[in-house]
Amino acid sequence: PRTGMSLGAVYGTATRTVATACASTPKAVHRLAFRLSQQVFGPVRPRSSQARHVSRRRALAIASPLVLTVLASSTSTAMSSASAAAAAARGFPAPIVVPPPEGGAASAVCIFLHGLGDTGHGWADVASQMPIAGVQWVFPTARTIPVTLNGGAKMTGWYDINDLDIDGIVDDRVQTLASADYIAALVDAAVADGVPAHKVLIGGFSQGGVVALTAALRSDKNLAGCAGLSTYLALRDDYPAALGPHAAALPVFLAHGTADAVLKYEYGTLTAAKLGEMGIAVDFKTYPGMAHSACPEELRHLAAFISAQVGL
């Protein structure tokens, strides 16, 4: 990416594009946060052997016209008052809460954070794609903030970002930690709702993964695990001093595509190496040819990780 280009055309727009290598099935599962700018990357012309980039919501609607209606109904009526209160107290929009597929009380909770320029709604249908018995999903939405790399334009973001280059990024300590504090409050809300901390998992995509790692590594609770998709570790120099008391035992799932032009594959390998140096067990998955995206194979691996860590 060229320095100074609009994040509306790069960082936020590229989120969850279905990658070349992972798009071998016609059941495309990811909605574009925005469309890629033709001025930046040129026209998107899928090869004939590739599946077309299809809205995840559209794909779900084709498979079952009732899915989206049921999802919307359940999330609007099952909102956790504790989660909503935690959001309101910190100036965040109320999160989307999807109850366990079988209904009833949750025995585990997965908190999953979106990327820059997206909202909790952008990932909420993941809950219907990987319905795990007993698992309640919480999809928080970031505050709307000015983004330096986007010329100061406002969009949803967990923190400000000034550059996409690994050597040029200056971590936004204040907002990164504030967002991590909010996620810690959502963990507390889950515990207040009766779910033990060791059954609570935090995850996120891109910028959301940054905050998920920050919150999980610094947590004072024995969490089930942390999952970071196409992401990196911010505030690296804080560690290991900033690690929480249970960080050494925290299972971490990291996934990155080799063709990521937004947060390069090197971000993922360096993050995995840094965590490994601190004695943290990392399951690092590589997806050849995948851009700043997610794919069905990755989601299957994510579902398996969640199921294994929450013990359901």
Side-chain angles (χ1 to χ4, degrees):
R2 295 192 296 272
T3 302
M5 68 182 67
S6 167
L7 279 184
V10 184
Y11 193 89
T13 62
T15 57
R16 301 190 320 283
T17 311
V18 179
T20 299
C22 293
S24 58
T25 169
K27 296 181 179 178
V29 293
H30 292 287
R31 181 178 66 84
L32 293 173
F34 304 91
R35 287 196 175 275
L36 290 168
S37 167
Q38 292 190 352
Q39 288 72 31
V40 175
F41 291 111
V44 178
R45 296 188 180 94
R47 299 172 185 172
S48 59
S49 61
Q50 299 174 0
R52 290 184 178 275
H53 294 187
V54 180
S55 162
R56 198 168 50 178
R57 293 183 182 278
R58 180 181 173 191
L60 284 171
I62 292 172
S64 173
L66 297 179
V67 170
L68 298 182
T69 301
V70 172
L71 181 60
S73 175
S74 61
T75 56
S76 62
T77 58
M79 178 68 70
S80 164
S81 58
S83 295
R90 292 163 178 79
F92 287 85
I96 296 168
V97 179
V98 183
E102 74 279 9
S107 52
V109 170
C110 181
I111 302 168
F112 197 89
L113 287 69
H114 62 79
L116 183 67
D118 203 355
T119 70
H121 288 279
W123 281 85
D125 44 10
V126 165
S128 62
Q129 291 175 38
M130 52 176 76
I132 305 172
V135 174
Q136 173 180 278
W137 289 80
V138 179
F139 299 96
T141 293
R143 291 179 288 207
T144 298
I145 61 171
V147 176
T148 299
L149 186 56
N150 204 25
K154 292 185 177 182
M155 59 170 51
T156 52
W158 296 107
Y159 53 87
D160 188 22
I161 184 168
N162 69 306
D163 201 342
L164 295 176
D165 186 82
I166 197 165
D167 295 320
I169 288 182
V170 177
D171 291 326
D172 178 0
R173 172 177 296 275
V174 173
Q175 293 195 85
T176 299
L177 293 181
S179 292
D181 176 71
Y182 167 46
I183 303 308
L186 291 180
V187 172
D188 290 341
V191 174
D193 284 343
V195 177
H198 69 273
K199 296 289 186 180
V200 179
L201 187 143
I202 305 172
F205 172 79
S206 193
Q207 208 185 59
V210 171
V211 173
L213 280 170
T214 302
L217 290 174
R218 297 168 185 247
S219 178
D220 62 353
K221 294 182 172 56
N222 183 23
L223 300 173
C226 180
L229 313 185
S230 302
T231 193
Y232 65 96
L233 179 65
L235 304 171
R236 294 169 61 89
D237 292 341
D238 285 6
Y239 302 102
L243 292 176
H246 304 286
L250 179 73
V252 176
F253 173 84
L254 295 178
H256 222 110
T258 59
D260 194 330
V262 179
L263 295 178
K264 295 182 178 180
Y265 180 67
E266 184 182 9
Y267 280 89
T269 58
L270 288 174
T271 295
K274 176 69 173 179
L275 295 178
E277 291 171 4
M278 296 188 292
I280 297 171
V282 179
D283 180 7
F284 182 70
K285 301 291 188 186
T286 295
Y287 300 92
M290 188 175 80
H292 196 59
S293 335
C295 68
E297 181 184 12
E298 183 184 39
L299 288 186
R300 286 194 295 271
H301 291 157
L302 175 61
F305 174 76
I306 294 171
S307 296
Q309 301 312 319
V310 300
L312 301 174

